[in-house]
mmCIF file of all heavy atoms in Angstrom:
data_model
loop_
_atom_site.group_PDB
_atom_site.id
_atom_site.type_symbol
_atom_site.label_atom_id
_atom_site.label_comp_id
_atom_site.label_asym_id
_atom_site.label_seq_id
_atom_site.Cartn_x
_atom_site.Cartn_y
_atom_site.Cartn_z
ATOM 1 N N VAL L 61 0.837 -1.200 0.000
ATOM 2 C CA VAL L 61 0.000 0.000 0.000
ATOM 3 C C VAL L 61 0.869 1.246 0.000
ATOM 4 O O VAL L 61 0.620 2.204 -0.751
ATOM 5 C CB VAL L 61 -0.957 -0.006 1.203
ATOM 6 C CG1 VAL L 61 -1.645 1.351 1.358
ATOM 7 C CG2 VAL L 61 -2.002 -1.109 1.054
ATOM 8 N N GLU L 62 1.900 1.264 0.837
ATOM 9 C CA GLU L 62 2.812 2.408 0.875
ATOM 10 C C GLU L 62 3.513 2.586 -0.470
ATOM 11 O O GLU L 62 3.671 3.717 -0.961
ATOM 12 C CB GLU L 62 3.833 2.219 1.991
ATOM 13 C CG GLU L 62 3.235 2.317 3.394
ATOM 14 C CD GLU L 62 4.271 2.097 4.477
ATOM 15 O OE1 GLU L 62 5.436 1.804 4.129
ATOM 16 O OE2 GLU L 62 3.926 2.212 5.660
ATOM 17 N N ASP L 63 3.926 1.490 -1.087
ATOM 18 C CA ASP L 63 4.577 1.554 -2.397
ATOM 19 C C ASP L 63 3.624 2.117 -3.438
ATOM 20 O O ASP L 63 4.016 2.937 -4.282
ATOM 21 C CB ASP L 63 5.034 0.148 -2.793
ATOM 22 C CG ASP L 63 5.836 0.132 -4.081
ATOM 23 O OD1 ASP L 63 6.899 0.773 -4.114
ATOM 24 O OD2 ASP L 63 5.397 -0.504 -5.053
ATOM 25 N N LEU L 64 2.363 1.702 -3.383
ATOM 26 C CA LEU L 64 1.342 2.205 -4.308
ATOM 27 C C LEU L 64 1.158 3.712 -4.159
ATOM 28 O O LEU L 64 1.082 4.448 -5.151
ATOM 29 C CB LEU L 64 0.029 1.457 -4.039
ATOM 30 C CG LEU L 64 -1.229 1.822 -4.815
ATOM 31 C CD1 LEU L 64 -2.125 0.597 -4.942
ATOM 32 C CD2 LEU L 64 -2.011 2.927 -4.124
ATOM 33 N N ILE L 65 1.092 4.176 -2.915
ATOM 34 C CA ILE L 65 0.892 5.602 -2.658
ATOM 35 C C ILE L 65 2.080 6.422 -3.151
ATOM 36 O O ILE L 65 1.920 7.462 -3.806
ATOM 37 C CB ILE L 65 0.646 5.841 -1.159
ATOM 38 C CG1 ILE L 65 -0.713 5.257 -0.747
ATOM 39 C CG2 ILE L 65 0.712 7.331 -0.818
ATOM 40 C CD1 ILE L 65 -0.972 5.277 0.747
ATOM 41 N N ILE L 66 3.279 5.951 -2.852
ATOM 42 C CA ILE L 66 4.489 6.675 -3.266
ATOM 43 C C ILE L 66 4.557 6.778 -4.784
ATOM 44 O O ILE L 66 4.827 7.852 -5.345
ATOM 45 C CB ILE L 66 5.745 5.981 -2.704
ATOM 46 C CG1 ILE L 66 5.792 6.117 -1.183
ATOM 47 C CG2 ILE L 66 7.014 6.566 -3.331
ATOM 48 C CD1 ILE L 66 6.859 5.266 -0.521
ATOM 49 N N LYS L 67 4.269 5.689 -5.483
ATOM 50 C CA LYS L 67 4.340 5.706 -6.950
ATOM 51 C C LYS L 67 3.256 6.603 -7.545
ATOM 52 O O LYS L 67 3.482 7.261 -8.570
ATOM 53 C CB LYS L 67 4.219 4.285 -7.488
ATOM 54 C CG LYS L 67 5.468 3.443 -7.237
ATOM 55 C CD LYS L 67 5.302 2.019 -7.733
ATOM 56 C CE LYS L 67 6.585 1.219 -7.502
ATOM 57 N NZ LYS L 67 6.432 -0.208 -7.912
ATOM 58 N N ALA L 68 2.078 6.633 -6.908
ATOM 59 C CA ALA L 68 1.007 7.504 -7.405
ATOM 60 C C ALA L 68 1.406 8.970 -7.301
ATOM 61 O O ALA L 68 1.181 9.762 -8.226
ATOM 62 C CB ALA L 68 -0.275 7.240 -6.626
ATOM 63 N N VAL L 69 2.012 9.349 -6.172
ATOM 64 C CA VAL L 69 2.464 10.741 -6.006
ATOM 65 C C VAL L 69 3.599 11.045 -6.971
ATOM 66 O O VAL L 69 3.657 12.132 -7.572
ATOM 67 C CB VAL L 69 2.882 10.999 -4.548
ATOM 68 C CG1 VAL L 69 3.447 12.402 -4.390
ATOM 69 C CG2 VAL L 69 1.697 10.806 -3.601
ATOM 70 N N LEU L 70 4.513 10.099 -7.148
ATOM 71 C CA LEU L 70 5.628 10.308 -8.073
ATOM 72 C C LEU L 70 5.132 10.534 -9.502
ATOM 73 O O LEU L 70 5.758 11.278 -10.269
ATOM 74 C CB LEU L 70 6.568 9.093 -8.045
ATOM 75 C CG LEU L 70 7.512 8.980 -6.846
ATOM 76 C CD1 LEU L 70 8.249 7.653 -6.878
ATOM 77 C CD2 LEU L 70 8.506 10.125 -6.826
ATOM 78 N N SER L 71 4.014 9.911 -9.853
ATOM 79 C CA SER L 71 3.514 10.040 -11.225
ATOM 80 C C SER L 71 3.099 11.471 -11.554
ATOM 81 O O SER L 71 3.063 11.855 -12.725
ATOM 82 C CB SER L 71 2.332 9.083 -11.439
ATOM 83 O OG SER L 71 1.199 9.508 -10.694
ATOM 84 N N ALA L 72 2.771 12.253 -10.524
ATOM 85 C CA ALA L 72 2.357 13.646 -10.747
ATOM 86 C C ALA L 72 3.383 14.639 -10.222
ATOM 87 O O ALA L 72 3.147 15.849 -10.248
ATOM 88 C CB ALA L 72 1.011 13.899 -10.065
ATOM 89 N N GLU L 73 4.528 14.134 -9.765
ATOM 90 C CA GLU L 73 5.518 14.997 -9.109
ATOM 91 C C GLU L 73 6.021 16.106 -10.022
ATOM 92 O O GLU L 73 6.083 17.278 -9.631
ATOM 93 C CB GLU L 73 6.696 14.157 -8.626
ATOM 94 C CG GLU L 73 7.808 14.991 -7.999
ATOM 95 C CD GLU L 73 9.068 14.177 -7.776
ATOM 96 O OE1 GLU L 73 9.164 13.059 -8.311
ATOM 97 O OE2 GLU L 73 9.964 14.684 -7.075
ATOM 98 N N LEU L 74 6.374 15.776 -11.257
ATOM 99 C CA LEU L 74 6.998 16.751 -12.145
ATOM 100 C C LEU L 74 6.077 17.935 -12.409
ATOM 101 O O LEU L 74 6.491 19.098 -12.292
ATOM 102 C CB LEU L 74 7.385 16.087 -13.469
ATOM 103 C CG LEU L 74 8.007 17.017 -14.526
ATOM 104 C CD1 LEU L 74 9.287 17.641 -13.982
ATOM 105 C CD2 LEU L 74 8.275 16.232 -15.815
ATOM 106 N N GLN L 75 4.814 17.663 -12.751
ATOM 107 C CA GLN L 75 3.886 18.741 -13.064
ATOM 108 C C GLN L 75 3.621 19.621 -11.847
ATOM 109 O O GLN L 75 3.578 20.854 -11.951
ATOM 110 C CB GLN L 75 2.567 18.160 -13.582
ATOM 111 C CG GLN L 75 2.675 17.460 -14.921
ATOM 112 C CD GLN L 75 3.079 15.998 -14.814
ATOM 113 O OE1 GLN L 75 3.572 15.558 -13.777
ATOM 114 N NE2 GLN L 75 2.873 15.250 -15.885
ATOM 115 N N ILE L 76 3.433 19.000 -10.687
ATOM 116 C CA ILE L 76 3.119 19.778 -9.482
ATOM 117 C C ILE L 76 4.352 20.552 -9.009
ATOM 118 O O ILE L 76 4.254 21.715 -8.603
ATOM 119 C CB ILE L 76 2.582 18.862 -8.366
ATOM 120 C CG1 ILE L 76 1.287 18.187 -8.834
ATOM 121 C CG2 ILE L 76 2.328 19.661 -7.084
ATOM 122 C CD1 ILE L 76 0.702 17.218 -7.830
ATOM 123 N N ALA L 77 5.518 19.923 -9.051
ATOM 124 C CA ALA L 77 6.749 20.606 -8.633
ATOM 125 C C ALA L 77 7.022 21.809 -9.527
ATOM 126 O O ALA L 77 7.437 22.871 -9.050
ATOM 127 C CB ALA L 77 7.918 19.636 -8.670
ATOM 128 N N THR L 78 6.754 21.668 -10.830
ATOM 129 C CA THR L 78 6.946 22.789 -11.758
ATOM 130 C C THR L 78 6.003 23.937 -11.427
ATOM 131 O O THR L 78 6.391 25.107 -11.421
ATOM 132 C CB THR L 78 6.704 22.321 -13.205
ATOM 133 O OG1 THR L 78 7.622 21.256 -13.514
ATOM 134 C CG2 THR L 78 6.918 23.469 -14.176
ATOM 135 N N ALA L 79 4.740 23.597 -11.127
ATOM 136 C CA ALA L 79 3.769 24.625 -10.770
ATOM 137 C C ALA L 79 4.143 25.304 -9.458
ATOM 138 O O ALA L 79 3.972 26.519 -9.300
ATOM 139 C CB ALA L 79 2.374 24.007 -10.670
ATOM 140 N N CYS L 80 4.667 24.520 -8.507
ATOM 141 C CA CYS L 80 5.080 25.099 -7.216
ATOM 142 C C CYS L 80 6.207 26.111 -7.408
ATOM 143 O O CYS L 80 6.230 27.160 -6.753
ATOM 144 C CB CYS L 80 5.517 23.986 -6.265
ATOM 145 S SG CYS L 80 4.168 22.974 -5.610
ATOM 146 N N LYS L 81 7.147 25.808 -8.282
ATOM 147 C CA LYS L 81 8.249 26.731 -8.522
ATOM 148 C C LYS L 81 7.753 28.040 -9.123
ATOM 149 O O LYS L 81 8.318 29.108 -8.879
ATOM 150 C CB LYS L 81 9.274 26.081 -9.450
ATOM 151 C CG LYS L 81 10.062 24.954 -8.801
ATOM 152 C CD LYS L 81 11.053 24.335 -9.777
ATOM 153 C CE LYS L 81 11.826 23.205 -9.114
ATOM 154 N NZ LYS L 81 12.781 22.558 -10.063
ATOM 155 N N MET L 82 6.679 27.967 -9.885
ATOM 156 C CA MET L 82 6.141 29.162 -10.540
ATOM 157 C C MET L 82 5.302 30.016 -9.602
ATOM 158 O O MET L 82 5.356 31.243 -9.647
ATOM 159 C CB MET L 82 5.285 28.751 -11.746
ATOM 160 C CG MET L 82 6.056 28.123 -12.890
ATOM 161 S SD MET L 82 4.964 27.556 -14.219
ATOM 162 C CE MET L 82 4.185 29.110 -14.682
ATOM 163 N N PHE L 83 4.530 29.364 -8.717
ATOM 164 C CA PHE L 83 3.517 30.098 -7.959
ATOM 165 C C PHE L 83 3.731 30.111 -6.446
ATOM 166 O O PHE L 83 3.042 30.828 -5.738
ATOM 167 C CB PHE L 83 2.126 29.513 -8.249
ATOM 168 C CG PHE L 83 1.759 29.545 -9.698
ATOM 169 C CD1 PHE L 83 1.693 28.379 -10.432
ATOM 170 C CD2 PHE L 83 1.502 30.754 -10.342
ATOM 171 C CE1 PHE L 83 1.356 28.396 -11.782
ATOM 172 C CE2 PHE L 83 1.164 30.781 -11.684
ATOM 173 C CZ PHE L 83 1.091 29.603 -12.415
ATOM 174 N N VAL L 84 4.652 29.299 -5.938
ATOM 175 C CA VAL L 84 4.882 29.241 -4.495
ATOM 176 C C VAL L 84 6.316 29.671 -4.218
ATOM 177 O O VAL L 84 7.254 28.880 -4.379
ATOM 178 C CB VAL L 84 4.636 27.820 -3.945
ATOM 179 C CG1 VAL L 84 4.804 27.798 -2.421
ATOM 180 C CG2 VAL L 84 3.242 27.323 -4.330
ATOM 181 N N PRO L 85 6.519 30.920 -3.808
ATOM 182 C CA PRO L 85 7.888 31.418 -3.617
ATOM 183 C C PRO L 85 8.622 30.778 -2.447
ATOM 184 O O PRO L 85 9.837 30.702 -2.454
ATOM 185 C CB PRO L 85 7.689 32.925 -3.382
ATOM 186 C CG PRO L 85 6.281 33.052 -2.897
ATOM 187 C CD PRO L 85 5.506 31.971 -3.575
ATOM 188 N N HIS L 86 7.879 30.333 -1.446
ATOM 189 C CA HIS L 86 8.508 29.723 -0.266
ATOM 190 C C HIS L 86 7.999 28.291 -0.117
ATOM 191 O O HIS L 86 6.794 28.056 -0.030
ATOM 192 C CB HIS L 86 8.212 30.533 0.990
ATOM 193 C CG HIS L 86 8.635 31.964 0.882
ATOM 194 N ND1 HIS L 86 9.955 32.350 0.937
ATOM 195 C CD2 HIS L 86 7.909 33.098 0.702
ATOM 196 C CE1 HIS L 86 10.036 33.669 0.811
ATOM 197 N NE2 HIS L 86 8.812 34.143 0.660
ATOM 198 N N LYS L 87 8.902 27.333 -0.092
ATOM 199 C CA LYS L 87 8.541 25.912 -0.102
ATOM 200 C C LYS L 87 7.672 25.499 1.079
ATOM 201 O O LYS L 87 6.853 24.607 0.972
ATOM 202 C CB LYS L 87 9.815 25.058 -0.115
ATOM 203 C CG LYS L 87 10.631 25.184 -1.393
ATOM 204 C CD LYS L 87 11.856 24.302 -1.331
ATOM 205 C CE LYS L 87 12.691 24.422 -2.600
ATOM 206 N NZ LYS L 87 13.899 23.562 -2.545
ATOM 207 N N ALA L 88 7.871 26.148 2.227
ATOM 208 C CA ALA L 88 7.164 25.724 3.425
ATOM 209 C C ALA L 88 5.807 26.409 3.602
ATOM 210 O O ALA L 88 5.200 26.324 4.656
ATOM 211 C CB ALA L 88 8.030 25.982 4.656
ATOM 212 N N ASN L 89 5.348 27.095 2.559
ATOM 213 C CA ASN L 89 4.112 27.875 2.677
ATOM 214 C C ASN L 89 2.845 27.056 2.547
ATOM 215 O O ASN L 89 1.770 27.545 2.868
ATOM 216 C CB ASN L 89 4.077 28.983 1.614
ATOM 217 C CG ASN L 89 4.736 30.258 2.119
ATOM 218 O OD1 ASN L 89 5.433 30.233 3.121
ATOM 219 N ND2 ASN L 89 4.513 31.351 1.426
ATOM 220 N N CYS L 90 2.933 25.854 2.014
ATOM 221 C CA CYS L 90 1.694 25.114 1.771
ATOM 222 C C CYS L 90 1.921 23.616 1.897
ATOM 223 O O CYS L 90 3.051 23.127 1.927
ATOM 224 C CB CYS L 90 1.122 25.449 0.395
ATOM 225 S SG CYS L 90 2.235 25.063 -0.971
ATOM 226 N N PHE L 91 0.817 22.897 1.969
ATOM 227 C CA PHE L 91 0.835 21.444 2.013
ATOM 228 C C PHE L 91 -0.466 20.964 1.383
ATOM 229 O O PHE L 91 -1.379 21.746 1.130
ATOM 230 C CB PHE L 91 0.966 20.927 3.451
ATOM 231 C CG PHE L 91 -0.195 21.301 4.332
ATOM 232 C CD1 PHE L 91 -1.269 20.432 4.502
ATOM 233 C CD2 PHE L 91 -0.230 22.525 4.998
ATOM 234 C CE1 PHE L 91 -2.350 20.777 5.310
ATOM 235 C CE2 PHE L 91 -1.295 22.872 5.812
ATOM 236 C CZ PHE L 91 -2.359 21.994 5.965
ATOM 237 N N GLU L 92 -0.558 19.671 1.116
ATOM 238 C CA GLU L 92 -1.773 19.125 0.507
ATOM 239 C C GLU L 92 -2.164 17.827 1.205
ATOM 240 O O GLU L 92 -1.313 16.965 1.460
ATOM 241 C CB GLU L 92 -1.549 18.849 -0.984
ATOM 242 C CG GLU L 92 -2.801 18.404 -1.734
ATOM 243 C CD GLU L 92 -3.772 19.546 -1.960
ATOM 244 O OE1 GLU L 92 -3.440 20.477 -2.703
ATOM 245 O OE2 GLU L 92 -4.869 19.484 -1.379
ATOM 246 N N LEU L 93 -3.460 17.726 1.519
ATOM 247 C CA LEU L 93 -4.021 16.498 2.085
ATOM 248 C C LEU L 93 -4.761 15.759 0.974
ATOM 249 O O LEU L 93 -5.632 16.326 0.323
ATOM 250 C CB LEU L 93 -4.969 16.817 3.240
ATOM 251 C CG LEU L 93 -5.768 15.628 3.801
ATOM 252 C CD1 LEU L 93 -4.829 14.619 4.470
ATOM 253 C CD2 LEU L 93 -6.831 16.109 4.789
ATOM 254 N N TYR L 94 -4.415 14.503 0.787
ATOM 255 C CA TYR L 94 -5.068 13.668 -0.226
ATOM 256 C C TYR L 94 -5.818 12.519 0.446
ATOM 257 O O TYR L 94 -5.410 12.021 1.502
ATOM 258 C CB TYR L 94 -4.044 13.067 -1.195
ATOM 259 C CG TYR L 94 -3.223 14.063 -1.964
ATOM 260 C CD1 TYR L 94 -1.910 14.356 -1.598
ATOM 261 C CD2 TYR L 94 -3.744 14.708 -3.084
ATOM 262 C CE1 TYR L 94 -1.147 15.258 -2.319
ATOM 263 C CE2 TYR L 94 -2.985 15.612 -3.809
ATOM 264 C CZ TYR L 94 -1.690 15.882 -3.420
ATOM 265 O OH TYR L 94 -0.926 16.793 -4.131
ATOM 266 N N GLY L 95 -6.901 12.090 -0.191
ATOM 267 C CA GLY L 95 -7.611 10.899 0.245
ATOM 268 C C GLY L 95 -7.418 9.801 -0.795
ATOM 269 O O GLY L 95 -7.910 9.905 -1.921
#
C-alpha cells in the first residue's frame, strides 16, 4: 500500500513541482491532504 501511494504521487511529481516553482515562492508555505 505504501509503495502504491508513493508511486502515485511520483507520477504527478513533475507537473506539481513545476507549478510550485512558478507560484509558491517559499517551499514551506503550503501542504496538501489527499484521500
Side-chain angles (χ1 to χ4, degrees):
V61 169
E62 291 179 357
D63 185 61
L64 177 151
I65 291 172
I66 292 170
K67 288 178 178 177
V69 176
L70 283 173
S71 69
E73 177 191 13
L74 178 60
Q75 293 86 344
I76 299 178
T78 301
C80 287
K81 289 179 180 179
M82 293 176 60
F83 302 109
V84 183
H86 304 286
K87 293 181 180 180
N89 271 15
C90 60
F91 63 94
E92 186 73 66
L93 172 66
Y94 300 102

